[in-house]
Amino acid sequence: MTLLDRLSTGWKPWFVLFILTFGAAAPGVFSLPALDRDESRFAQASKEMLEEQDYIRIQYQDELRNKKPAGIHWLQAASTAVFTGPEAKQIWTYRVPSWLGAAFGTLACFWTGLVLVGRRASFVGAALFGATLLLTSEAHISKTDGMLVFLTTLSIGALARLYMRRDQSKAMALLFWACMGTSFLIKGPVTPMVAAYAGIGAWVWTKATDGKGGDWWRVLLWWPGPAIFVAMVLPWFLWIQAATDGQYIKGAVGKDLKDKFTGASEGHGGWAFYHLTHIPAWFFPATLFFVPGLVAAWKTIGPARARGVAWLKHVVLIAAALFAGLLVLNYLLPFLPRPDSGLAGQALNTIATLKPLPAWPALLLVFFWWASGRDQWMTRWPVGEEVISEETRAIRLLAAWAVLTYAFFELMPTLLSHYILPAYPAFGLLAGYAATKMMEGEYWPVTRWVSIALFALGAILLLAVSFPGVTTYFMAETAGDFSTAFPQDVLANWTEYREFPLWFWWVGFALCGIAIIEFARRHECNAAMFAIYAAVAIGWHVRIFMLPSQVWVQPTETARLALEDVCGVPGEACDWPAPDRILALGYAEPSYILTLGTQNLHPPETPLDLPQDLSAYPVVYLVNLEDRKAEPPIQDELVHLRAQADRMGLCVTETESYYALNYSNGDPVNFRALRFDHGGCPG
């Protein structure tokens, strides 16, 4: 029995896979500050649930956050209530659900693969997926995606058992619907859509080649399953609609979801093949077996006879024609004449506003479902001529899951690199399937060298961006963007951030080289093992040493340094009395509210005059001198505050400048903290 056989049997794979993802992401959970902007907005909304004991409405300070359902906020609030409480203002407690979700996602990937590709391939594929940079990064970000990939993969695991075993298992049907309900409360329709692409894609594929798709899915219509979904989802939606005076669905569907399909929401656009070009880094280290996975899948599902090959060419032509038609509509619809009023005019306006390209995978399935039921299809193509093995059926499901999900997110107008994560377990299982095929003697020489190049590209990118020389280069580039300071002063302020330990960097570098050598020598098991070790080492280097040391790109942490100079952080012990709140000018990032206190004010709520009530002192202002959009200008406001303080006889304590780059918008920030005390200076 080989090492792979021993690791993939009994309790061992469950323990190893959980520890792999859990351990790879752990440093980031505790060492990284709150990230702007989405993570801090999610966590702040969960924090306010605890502070106000309102678990229905989702709020960010005084603003309703009608975007995503409340499920992830409930989990984050529960985690924080268990470990610390909202007053602690620590981001790690809000990250625990994502951390656990990602680790359980790796286990769900293994469980799903057991019935599709076997224990050995499933273990290798889940391990490769569990070490990917995208998954382990989402594991330490307090958003929806870590938990979402777990529930999506688990639901497809239940679907796969119904599909492969054809046993009409009611237990699997109930598990599927429970995942649908839970995931809908996490991120709306994403999981149902991905599961539909996998299940319906495999069913339509079977119908198109065999004449019948099968009835393996009928148990999903058993009434307790849909009833569970409705019972989980409907009550909260009714409550939130009532609590927000009917504004929640308008904001979540009519604004947030609609914006993602009508254009690059919040400026998140991208280039062609956006998600594909992120694979060398985000899918690392599984990139070593990514191309072999595609080749192995093609060889397994590809037709063996000439008529079957002709059928496949026909399918590709239809898919290309549908895509081209949608592409034309995408560009022509906005220019077509439309009635100004009436139902028809409104319908055409809506269609013209929406971008039709993401509908391509769904239209593809609808077309082949319709075409495969026609007599012409049955007589023209080799329907039912080939015996379809169980292995082929399994790879069809994986291919439908991976390709259709990838195509949907690739064609969306709004592009964010983590959107593709629900497709990664399928890619991981295909990679594991290819790895075991290669271990058993399959030899694809061209694929092997392409794989080495792809893996090496990802390794070079990750090692390069995490090397001190690269960060020093970007420091120098950023220092020239300041309008209120000389570049040499900014760089002098950042001196301590230029160096960080490289122990894990060198380990990752060496392991990448060993993985490539072992892969070239056709020792695939060793190659996969060393590639996974390399990903963990590089990830630890980034999360333990590199990112925590780069305070110059952490504006809220830089602001904290300025505030600490004047004992200006509310609730923290200091030599001087701490203020009740901070008043910010020129800075309003969500991490500032989360980590320094909900009570703190930011533009435009920040008062521009010092209070007349002497009991309000000490008063602390956090000022960003680089804010070029402020009205009145920041410098004028500083003159005004100092003049007021002089007339009122206040003591003014002002810090030196602290510089940073606000990575959320690419703007430089120059922080100073001003403390105003009545009755003399503290000390």
Side-chain angles (χ1 to χ4, degrees), residues 39-55 57-60 65 70-78 80 86 94 142 594:
E39 177 180 47
S40 293
R41 285 171 177 160
F42 271 100
Q44 177 63 24
S46 303
K47 180 170 176 276
E48 290 184 32
M49 276 189 172
L50 284 172
E51 291 174 337
E52 300 179 16
Q53 297 295 297
D54 182 352
Y55 299 100
R57 294 184 301 170
I58 306 167
Q59 298 182 90
Y60 178 78
R65 186 170 165 80
I72 194 65
H73 298 290
W74 294 338
L75 294 175
Q76 291 176 356
T80 300
Y94 301 94
S142 61
L594 173 69

Side-chain angles (χ1 to χ4, degrees), residues 318-341:
I318 292 172
L322 277 173
F323 179 78
L326 287 173
L327 193 63
V328 170
L329 280 175
N330 195 58
Y331 288 102
L332 290 186
L333 270 175
F335 304 103
L336 295 178
R338 298 183 295 275
D340 294 331
S341 60

Side-chain angles (χ1 to χ4, degrees), residues 280-335:
W282 277 144
F283 200 53
F284 184 88
T287 45
L288 193 59
F289 295 95
F290 177 71
V291 176
L294 300 180
V295 172
W298 178 260
K299 289 182 175 295
T300 300
I301 62 180
R305 302 182 182 182
R307 275 177 29 102
V309 174
W311 169 86
L312 189 59
K313 291 180 180 177
H314 186 71
V315 168
V316 172
L317 285 173
I318 292 172
L322 277 173
F323 179 78
L326 287 173
L327 193 63
V328 170
L329 280 175
N330 195 58
Y331 288 102
L332 290 186
L333 270 175
F335 304 103

Side-chain angles (χ1 to χ4, degrees), residues 364-581:
L364 200 63
L365 294 179
V366 170
F367 175 83
F368 283 112
W369 167 77
W370 169 79
S372 60
R374 298 175 64 83
D375 292 338
Q376 296 95 318
W377 180 277
M378 303 288 287
T379 56
R380 182 175 182 181
W381 300 116
V383 176
E385 287 186 3
E386 297 189 23
V387 177
I388 306 300
S389 67
E390 292 299 289
E391 182 179 6
T392 299
R393 292 183 73 247
I395 299 304
R396 282 179 177 178
L397 179 68
L398 280 177
W401 174 10
V403 174
L404 294 176
T405 303
Y406 161 78
F408 174 84
F409 287 114
E410 190 72 88
L411 296 173
M412 276 190 65
T414 300
L415 295 167
L416 286 168
S417 59
H418 64 271
Y419 280 2
I420 197 65
L421 184 59
Y424 271 24
F427 285 132
L429 290 175
L430 288 175
Y433 175 70
T436 53
K437 286 284 186 183
M438 296 169 80
M439 293 175 202
E440 293 165 1
E442 291 283 355
Y443 184 54
W444 306 308
V446 175
T447 300
R448 184 175 297 275
W449 293 110
V450 172
S451 298
I452 288 175
L454 187 63
F455 179 81
L457 174 62
I460 291 169
L461 289 171
L462 295 174
L463 290 168
V465 300
S466 60
F467 192 74
V470 175
T471 59
T472 301
Y473 168 79
F474 284 112
M475 281 183 188
E477 289 292 306
T478 303
D481 295 337
F482 284 80
S483 62
T484 59
F486 294 109
Q488 59 268 28
D489 294 334
V490 175
L491 291 174
N493 189 262
W494 290 346
T495 300
E496 62 183 296
Y497 309 140
R498 295 186 181 190
E499 300 294 334
F500 44 87
L502 291 174
W503 308 331
F504 284 123
W505 191 95
W506 286 111
V507 172
F509 176 84
L511 288 171
C512 286
I514 295 171
I516 290 173
I517 293 170
E518 290 296 287
F519 190 75
R521 295 175 61 201
R522 300 185 63 184
H523 296 169
E524 289 81 12
C525 186
N526 290 344
M529 179 177 64
F530 285 116
I532 291 168
Y533 290 161
V536 173
I538 295 172
W540 280 356
H541 163 69
V542 170
R543 296 170 185 125
I544 295 174
F545 297 123
M546 180 204 168
L547 289 181
S549 70
Q550 301 305 291
V551 180
W552 70 280
V553 288
Q554 299 168 17
T556 294
E557 294 303 302
T558 303
R560 176 184 286 273
L561 294 176
L563 291 166
E564 287 175 348
D565 280 356
V566 294
C567 291
V569 180
E572 289 193 1
C574 194
D575 295 337
W576 307 343
D580 293 331
R581 63 183 182 182

Side-chain angles (χ1 to χ4, degrees), residues 123-147:
F123 178 75
V124 175
L128 289 168
F129 164 67
T132 54
L133 180 64
L134 181 57
L135 180 69
T136 54
S137 297
E138 289 299 325
H140 57 69
I141 300 176
S142 61
K143 299 190 302 177
T144 56
D145 299 280
M147 189 59 65

Side-chain angles (χ1 to χ4, degrees), residues 16 56 115 135 142 432 481 508 569 602 623 677:
V16 169
I56 301 300
V115 74
L135 180 69
S142 61
D481 295 337
V569 180
H602 56 78
V623 182
D677 287 278

Side-chain angles (χ1 to χ4, degrees), residues 69-237:
I72 194 65
H73 298 290
W74 294 338
L75 294 175
Q76 291 176 356
S79 169
T80 300
V82 168
F83 290 112
T84 57
E87 65 281 353
K89 300 191 285 276
Q90 297 178 11
I91 186 61
W92 73 266
T93 60
Y94 301 94
R95 290 170 170 166
V96 170
S98 296
W99 190 20
L100 291 174
F104 285 130
T106 302
L107 298 186
C109 181
F110 175 64
W111 184 70
T112 301
L114 288 175
V115 74
L116 294 173
V117 294
R119 183 169 290 273
R120 282 160 51 95
S122 181
F123 178 75
V124 175
L128 289 168
F129 164 67
T132 54
L133 180 64
L134 181 57
L135 180 69
T136 54
S137 297
E138 289 299 325
H140 57 69
I141 300 176
S142 61
K143 299 190 302 177
T144 56
D145 299 280
M147 189 59 65
L148 179 77
V149 74
F150 162 54
L151 294 169
T152 302
T153 310
L154 186 65
S155 70
I156 295 178
L159 201 67
R161 278 158 175 76
L162 294 174
Y163 170 72
M164 294 299 296
R165 294 172 178 172
R166 308 177 185 88
D167 58 1
Q168 301 292 313
S169 169
K170 292 182 177 179
M172 290 298 104
L174 293 178
L175 175 60
F176 175 84
W177 282 110
C179 290
M180 292 298 104
T182 308
S183 64
F184 206 92
L185 288 172
I186 296 291
K187 203 172 182 178
V190 175
T191 292
M193 181 198 70
V194 174
Y197 278 146
I200 297 174
W203 184 85
V204 169
W205 198 333
T206 305
K207 179 176 171 59
T209 55
D210 299 358
K212 293 183 179 180
D215 64 350
W216 54 268
W217 49 269
R218 289 191 180 277
V219 70
L220 295 174
L221 302 181
W222 182 49
W223 71 267
I228 287 175
F229 176 82
V230 172
M232 294 178 71
V233 172
L234 186 60
W236 179 78
F237 273 93

